[in-house]
Amino acid sequence: MNVLAIGCHPDDIEISCCGTLAKCVDRGDRVVVCHVANGNMGHEIIKPDELRLIRREEARRAGALAGIEVVTTDVGDLLPNGCSVEQRDKIADLIRQVQPDFIITHGPNDYMPDHREVSKLVFDASFVASCPQYGNGGKAAVVPIFYMDNLAGLNFVPTEFVDISDKIDLKIEMLECHESQLKWMRDHDNIDFAEFVRTCSRFRGIQCGVQYAEAFCQELVWPKVTTRRLLP
């Protein structure tokens, strides 16, 4: 299968679903991760132009640990816009290129405005990509969308779980690649974000009877629903 995960910032996928994506790679799937925003505003000291390049490299290194292809649409932080035709069409073109069997992205009730905008962009782009007469041509199937967990699991009711007990160490290793974010939070905010993510994964594991898990909620709209189990 082809799997496309579309996150907003260069560490969002590692936080919420990279264990699942690593299991997809293990079963032979092609996995592509796209970051819509480039993360250029994610530091109080490092300037945006420099940080943009740092975070792109961090994301590339994280993806390489699991055999994941990493791309970006290179939109500046705070600029994702669910009503932007240009941004929507970039994502639609990516969907046509990847031809995913399913898509993972942010939920529409996520805590961060940028994440909510990306959620809308992906939902709309997945339909646009199915219209062969629009834009640059080509056609992708209308496929299931799974929303990855909200930060800390707040206001998120899962419909699916994936056991990542054998991938939790890899998940944390991938997250630690985003040094510009995790080091700053440890040094200045007194937050060990790796521990935070591990704890949330443990909590989701408790809910479904395993050591560690990632949680998802399927978008239940026609014709994005299937009887097939797609998540690993």
Side-chain angles (χ1 to χ4, degrees):
M1 287 197 292
N2 293 328
V3 180
L4 177 60
I6 304 175
C8 187
H9 305 101
D11 56 358
D12 290 329
I13 295 299
E14 283 73 25
I15 291 167
S16 295
C17 71
C18 73
T20 296
L21 297 181
K23 290 177 75 77
C24 288
V25 172
D26 283 353
R27 71 181 181 185
D29 296 349
R30 176 195 180 196
V31 178
V32 178
V33 164
C34 174
H35 306 113
V36 174
N38 55 29
N40 65 340
M41 297 289 175
H43 206 280
E44 293 186 18
I45 295 176
I46 302 173
K47 297 300 183 183
D49 286 348
E50 180 184 358
L51 186 61
R52 168 179 169 266
L53 299 178
I54 290 171
R55 298 200 69 186
R56 179 178 292 184
E57 177 60 20
E58 290 172 343
R60 187 200 64 77
R61 287 193 286 112
L65 290 175
I68 292 170
E69 302 172 44
V70 179
V71 298
T72 179
T73 59
D74 203 21
V75 176
D77 282 5
L78 308 180
L79 297 179
N81 181 352
C83 295
S84 167
V85 173
E86 179 183 4
Q87 292 179 22
R88 182 201 67 188
D89 289 357
K90 285 183 178 180
I91 296 172
D93 285 344
L94 176 65
I95 292 171
R96 286 169 170 166
Q97 292 166 18
V98 175
Q99 293 289 315
D101 292 279
F102 66 93
I103 297 170
I104 297 174
T105 193
H106 297 284
N109 65 343
D110 196 286
Y111 83 105
M112 182 180 284
D114 278 6
H115 295 187
R116 292 176 184 245
E117 297 302 313
V118 168
S119 184
K120 175 174 169 49
L121 284 168
V122 173
F123 182 90
D124 293 352
S126 69
F127 184 84
V128 169
S130 72
C131 301
Q133 300 299 329
Y134 179 81
N136 296 321
K139 180 181 180 180
V142 178
V143 298
I145 292 177
F146 294 95
Y147 297 126
M148 56 190 178
D149 211 346
N150 290 346
L151 196 65
L154 288 172
N155 200 24
F156 189 91
V157 180
T159 60
E160 305 239 14
F161 293 91
V162 174
D163 181 356
I164 62 159
S165 301
D166 62 340
K167 297 296 181 185
I168 186 64
D169 291 338
L170 175 61
K171 177 182 175 75
I172 299 304
E173 185 181 3
M174 292 172 70
L175 182 63
E176 290 282 7
C177 288
H178 298 275
E179 184 179 357
S180 67
Q181 305 303 291
L182 271 71
K183 187 177 188 303
W184 176 264
M185 285 190 283
R186 287 187 177 113
D187 292 347
H188 298 272
D189 298 330
N190 295 316
I191 298 173
D192 186 336
F193 200 62
E195 180 187 33
F196 180 107
V197 170
R198 183 184 289 270
T199 300
C200 291
S201 299
R202 177 69 185 116
F203 172 68
R204 290 305 191 193
I206 289 170
Q207 290 182 320
C208 61
V210 300
Q211 283 294 108
Y212 295 96
E214 290 172 342
F216 300 88
C217 180
Q218 187 173 358
E219 175 61 80
L220 297 178
V221 296
W222 185 89
K224 296 182 183 293
V225 180
T226 178
T227 59
R228 290 193 299 153
R229 168 77 183 188
L230 296 171
L231 295 172

